[in-house]
Each structure stands twice: as C-alpha cells, then as structure tokens.
Amino acid sequence: MGSKSQSADRKARIEAMRRAERARERRSRIVTITVSAVVVVGLVGFGAYALNKESDKKEAEKAAAAAPVKEEKSWDAKKLGRNHVTEAVKYPMTPAVGGDHNQVWMNCDGDVYKEAIPDVNAVHSLEHGAVWVTYNDKASDEDVKALADKVGKTPYTLMSPVKDQDGTIMLSAWGKQVSVDSASDSRVGQFLTKYVQGEQTPEPGAACTGGMGAQ
C-alpha cells in the first residue's frame, strides 16, 4: 500500500507540475499577444501621425509658395536677356537676377562659396531654377553659418559673399529678389520654398552640377 500511495502521490505532483507549466505557457502567450498588439497599435498610430505631419508640412509649403513674399522686388522675366556671352555683363541690379550670361553655370547643388563668384555664371544657375543666397560684411558669423547650413541641405541653391550689395542678406531667383537682415527671417524659408525650381524658372530641371565650381 505504501508503494502504491507514493506512486499515486508522485503522479499527482507531476500532473500538478504539468498543469502549472501549461498555465505559465498560457500566461506567456497572452502577455506576448498583448504586447504585440500594443506595439502594432503604436506603430499604426505613429504611422498615421507621421503621415498627417508630412501632409501638414506639404500643405504649409504650398501655402508659403502661394503667398507673396513681403517687400520682394520683381523684374519682367521676358525682358531679361538669356543670350550666352563671353564678355562681362553690366547688370542693372546687384546681385543680378537675370540677363545675358556665360554659357557655363555655377554649380548650385547646395554649393556654398566662401569667396565671390562671377555673376555671369551665377545668373546661368538662376536660369536653371536655382536660388542664389548672398551676404555682405554686415552679416554676422552666426547668420552666415545658419545660411550655409540651410543652403547645404537644399538642392538648386548656391551661396556666396557680395560685398557691394545693399542688403545684409539677399536671396535672388530669376526675376525675383528679397533683402533680409538676418537668417532667422521667415522670408528666407519662404523664398526658397517658392522659387527653388519655381514657376519663374526659364529652364526647369536643367543641371545644377557639372558646371563651374570653386577654384
């Protein structure tokens, strides 16, 4: 009887252990499923948030592109010459916003030039839809750095110093120009959004690389 009783007890303990193990496995599966569901819901929610944020950003960019740039100067694009010339050109504005120009463009794929560049080459870049960011000696080092960082991240832009320009910081596109006092001026971003490959571009999609670079 003692042996049979011990055997029965052992079987009962084993069965109890098995039931406990199965219970643990069920709890583990429930926890795993619950965590996975939470992760999926979180990812879906984040994805929706990201899509909405990107959509809002695009709408804001469209609004900025549609709105007029305060104190912007404009020239009749049809009256700006587009001939290729080999000699220097006397432009009626500084920096130039269009006109006859050299057949070689300045590289404008976010290129930042620390020295002055030939305007006849920069104007060709504007013809390709680039925005030319310039500054004079009144611009602070912080503003110059901030502008360089922004230009460096923006295709179809170029930047260089122009000492004899009237404005501290100026942005020029084909037939368009605005002057600001600091890099933090909201018109900097607005001008770039509106005119980088904008509707004013005579040759949209033309190259901004393979031209003339820093010497």
Side-chain angles (χ1 to χ4, degrees), residues 147-174:
L147 290 168
D149 289 343
K150 194 171 189 67
V151 168
K153 298 174 184 176
T154 309
Y156 281 93
T157 62
L158 67 163
M159 176 176 167
S160 71
V162 175
K163 289 186 177 181
D164 57 346
Q165 68 181 30
D166 291 333
T168 301
I169 297 167
M170 300 179 73
L171 291 88
S172 305
W174 188 269

Side-chain angles (χ1 to χ4, degrees), residues 81-85 99-102 127:
R82 292 179 55 197
N83 298 312
H84 286 175
V85 297
D100 294 344
H101 50 268
N102 192 278
E127 186 182 39

